[in-house]
Amino acid sequence: MGRTKINVILLIILKLFLVDTTTGEETCENDREMDKLCGGHTYKSVKPLLDYFKQVRNELDQSEIKEKHISEINADLMIKYHEIVGIHEKLMKEAFQLDEYKNKIIRKENNLQLCQSKVDKLESEINSQQTTINQLTLHLSDKSNKLEICENQLKKLNSSVIEKDEKISGYSATIQNITEYQKTISLKLEERLTMLFKKDKDIEICHAEIIKLNRTSHNNIPSNCLPFGEHPGVHEIEVSGVGSFDVLCDSQLAGPGWIVIQQRIGGEENFTRDWATYRKGFGSLDSDFFLGLEKMYRLTSQQQYELYIHLLAEDGNIFYARYDDFKISDEDHGYALSLGKFKGNVWDAMRIHENMKFTTFDRDNDLFYDNCAVWNNSGWWYNDCFACNLNGLYDEGLYCSESANYLKETKMLIRPKEDKNK
Ligand SMILES: *[C@@H]1O[C@H](CO)[C@@H](O)[C@H](O)[C@H]1NC(C)=O
Ligand SMILES: *[C@@H]1O[C@H](CO)[C@@H](O)[C@H](O)[C@H]1NC(C)=O
Ligand SMILES: *[C@@H]1O[C@H](CO)[C@@H](O)[C@H](O)[C@H]1NC(C)=O
Ligand SMILES: *[C@@H]1O[C@H](CO)[C@@H](O)[C@H](O)[C@H]1NC(C)=O
Ligand SMILES: *[C@@H]1O[C@H](CO)[C@@H](O)[C@H](O)[C@H]1NC(C)=O
């Protein structure tokens, strides 16, 4: 194109020059004449230029053709250019669409990648879950094995428990049986015991009956407890001067055959009594009593008697005092006391009462300026007044020497002294 423009400019310059020198086509026909006219050195100097102009003119002609051609081509080109522009626009549009598609694709790809990563993640999760499931399955099978073992053991235990239960029920049945048997046996035993007790009593009664019968058949009532040594308790004796009366025989405290002449075991009897009552005796043989001074005199005047004094202190200590020649004088002599030799585990407190007459609140035989029986609430062989008073007030005055203070039980027993010559 640049070249064409330069040519066009040259062409214009050349035309202007030619117009000044020549006048159209008729000049060309005059060339030959000119040649002939100007044959000298003018012609010779202008000739190359004229040749050149000729050439240029030809070229110009040709270039005009070419230019025409070119403009045609240009027009073509313009058309083509427009076409190309259209195509370019189309292309641009398509490129834009392509870009859009590309973006879409990229987006889709991103989504796809996202999705893929999600899928991957899910896959890995699934994998881990699968492994977990596998592990769990393993565990489960392990557990189910163990469970089976456990169930077997349980079954075994259950059967053994059932066995044991059966045994236990068997045992408890036996135990019940035995218990019932025991009950019947103990009932029988009780029955037998009561029967035995009854028999014992019967035997006792029988024996007493026999003794009575023997006595009546021989008309011979014992005068003391010696015949009842094997069977202590209440028996009838007969003593000359006072006749027959019941006495309590004791074989426990100091051997067999003792007559109990005084007893304090519960404090139920009033020992503040007058002379006549002490003479006769009072109280009941199964609790507290005093046998009576007259009976004691009659008994001890028949033969030699020994005296055994039993003392039970509040603290549980037991004392005794024994005299080998116990005797009571007759009423005229005031039932004065004789003792004999002492033996015992207590101080010989009765000794100060030896040879003393008996004193009651209504008969004062003591050595005290007043009546000891009044002061000390009982009849006794008072001196000035006493060292031992077994008839004193129960809980207050029952006293026999300092070593046997606070007595809760006292007994006086007599028994014929064994004749050593026999
Ligand atoms: C134990 O055995 C008894 C009797 O065979 C049955 O009834 C019970 O279900 C069993 N128990 C168990 C825990 O197996
Ligand atoms: C219970 O004991 C009696 C005899 O003592 C016996 O005959 C019976 O069979 C026993 N019963 C049981 C369940 O042991
Ligand atoms: C009956 O009395 C006599 C004479 O006292 C005596 O020898 C005899 O042993 C007594 N018999 C019985 C069974 O007590
Ligand atoms: C015991 O007897 C005497 C004389 O009979 C009487 O004065 C006294 O009140 C009686 N004591 C009791 C505790 O009954
Ligand atoms: C006994 O009488 C005397 C009075 O001589 C008195 O001192 C003493 O306390 C009396 N004892 C009892 C236990 O009554």
Side-chain angles (χ1 to χ4, degrees):
M1 277 276 263
R3 178 88 187 261
T4 323
K5 269 183 183 173
I6 291 165
N7 285 348
V8 170
I9 291 162
L10 281 177
L11 203 66
I12 291 164
I13 294 166
L14 205 73
K15 261 185 182 174
L16 285 171
F17 180 78
L18 282 177
V19 169
D20 289 342
T21 52
T22 60
T23 50
E25 276 169 35
E26 62 258 83
T27 48
C28 281
E29 278 163 14
N30 299 336
D31 278 352
R32 269 148 223 152
E33 293 164 15
M34 279 291 276
D35 276 347
K36 279 162 195 173
L37 284 167
C38 306
H41 70 255
T42 314
Y43 181 73
K44 271 183 187 172
S45 64
V46 177
K47 176 106 178 79
L49 193 61
L50 287 176
D51 285 347
Y52 178 69
F53 280 140
K54 240 198 232 175
Q55 195 188 337
V56 167
R57 207 176 171 175
N58 284 343
E59 273 182 20
L60 267 176
D61 288 345
Q62 269 181 6
S63 84
E64 256 176 31
I65 295 163
K66 274 186 187 166
E67 206 169 320
K68 228 182 171 181
H69 198 61
I70 281 166
S71 69
E72 276 174 20
I73 286 173
N74 260 349
D76 265 8
L77 264 174
M78 281 309 283
I79 292 163
K80 297 274 174 187
Y81 171 74
H82 284 295
E83 276 177 9
I84 283 168
V85 166
I87 286 167
H88 182 249
E89 276 175 359
K90 241 187 188 175
L91 269 175
M92 286 299 281
K93 242 188 211 168
E94 272 167 12
F96 180 72
Q97 273 182 344
L98 199 68
D99 272 359
E100 264 189 357
Y101 282 132
K102 251 189 196 166
N103 284 340
K104 266 187 191 169
I105 284 165
I106 285 165
R107 252 184 277 140
K108 290 267 158 87
E109 247 175 13
N110 283 345
N111 283 349
L112 192 69
Q113 263 174 5
L114 225 81
C115 195
Q116 186 60 44
S117 65
K118 272 185 190 170
V119 165
D120 285 352
K121 214 168 149 194
L122 281 175
E123 240 175 21
S124 69
E125 268 174 26
I126 285 169
N127 279 346
S128 73
Q129 274 173 2
Q130 187 60 46
T131 37
T132 317
I133 285 169
N134 287 347
Q135 279 171 0
L136 283 176
T137 315
L138 273 177
H139 273 300
L140 193 68
S141 68
D142 193 35
K143 287 273 148 85
S144 58
N145 281 344
K146 277 183 187 163
L147 190 68
E148 213 171 298
I149 292 164
C150 197
E151 265 173 359
N152 284 338
Q153 281 176 344
L154 191 68
K155 262 181 207 164
K156 264 188 216 163
L157 282 177
N158 193 23
S159 59
S160 76
V161 163
I162 287 162
E163 217 173 279
K164 295 261 157 82
D165 272 354
E166 276 161 11
K167 268 188 192 164
I168 285 167
S169 60
Y171 285 144
S172 47
T174 315
I175 285 168
Q176 210 174 333
N177 205 353
I178 286 171
T179 314
E180 269 162 26
Y181 190 60
Q182 220 169 20
K183 259 186 214 162
T184 25
I185 289 210
S186 43
L187 273 178
K188 273 185 191 165
L189 198 73
E190 226 168 275
E191 246 171 56
R192 289 287 152 89
L193 273 176
T194 44
M195 264 168 78
L196 206 70
F197 195 67
K198 222 173 169 188
K199 288 268 159 82
D200 271 354
K201 270 207 162 165
D202 284 354
I203 286 167
E204 226 170 82
I205 290 163
C206 199
H207 202 90
E209 210 63 33
I210 285 166
I211 288 165
K212 228 180 204 173
L213 282 172
N214 196 24
R215 200 195 304 149
T216 41
S217 65
H218 290 85
N219 200 18
N220 182 12
I221 300 172
S223 60
N224 54 56
C225 283
L226 281 179
F228 312 114
E230 302 254 315
H231 306 282
V234 177
H235 291 285
E236 191 183 21
I237 61 170
E238 190 178 72
V239 180
S240 64
V242 282
S244 66
F245 54 93
D246 277 348
V247 287
L248 176 62
C249 297
D250 184 282
S251 297
Q252 274 185 338
L253 281 173
W258 291 87
I259 303 167
V260 183
I261 59 167
Q262 191 262 17
Q263 176 165 278
R264 308 292 293 278
I265 54 172
E268 276 170 19
E269 194 55 57
N270 187 351
F271 273 66
T272 309
R273 300 285 191 156
D274 61 7
W275 183 267
T277 311
Y278 266 104
R279 183 186 186 280
K280 193 172 149 242
F282 58 87
S284 69
L285 296 178
D286 57 4
S287 70
D288 293 10
F289 67 88
F290 190 79
L291 184 64
L293 291 163
E294 187 62 23
K295 285 170 196 153
M296 284 153 78
Y297 153 64
R298 295 285 177 185
L299 274 166
T300 57
S301 61
Q302 281 183 346
Q303 62 186 111
Q304 187 179 344
Y305 267 80
E306 52 179 337
L307 169 70
Y308 184 94
I309 296 176
H310 161 79
L311 307 167
L312 171 63
E314 258 183 353
D315 58 14
N317 281 323
I318 293 172
F319 300 98
Y320 77 95
R322 202 164 176 157
Y323 299 91
D324 75 342
D325 195 5
F326 171 70
K327 214 178 285 169
I328 300 280
S329 70
D330 63 13
E331 189 175 12
D332 291 344
H333 293 90
Y335 297 125
L337 175 71
S338 296
L339 290 168
K341 274 187 256 143
F342 167 79
K343 227 168 112 185
N345 63 355
V346 70
W347 176 59
D348 186 8
M350 280 297 278
R351 192 62 61 185
I352 73 149
H353 299 287
E354 198 172 27
N355 301 319
M356 289 296 116
K357 292 176 178 174
F358 205 80
T359 292
T360 57
F361 61 79
D362 58 342
R363 188 165 304 186
D364 185 1
N365 288 319
D366 60 34
L367 302 180
F368 187 47
Y369 71 89
D370 201 349
N371 188 341
C372 289
V374 174
W375 282 74
N376 295 133
N377 305 299
S378 73
W380 194 246
W381 294 276
Y382 286 111
N383 186 311
D384 181 24
C385 285
F386 68 88
C388 180
N389 181 8
L390 305 183
N391 286 351
L393 288 176
Y394 197 85
D395 288 334
E396 282 175 59
L398 213 51
Y399 181 86
C400 194
S401 94
E402 279 172 30
S403 49
N405 207 350
Y406 304 112
L407 299 167
K408 66 175 182 184
E409 206 176 287
T410 75
K411 281 179 191 181
M412 294 170 78
L413 310 120
I414 60 170
R415 182 172 73 172
K417 178 83 179 159
E418 273 176 29
D419 194 347
K420 280 168 192 166
N421 297 328
K422 264 188 186 172

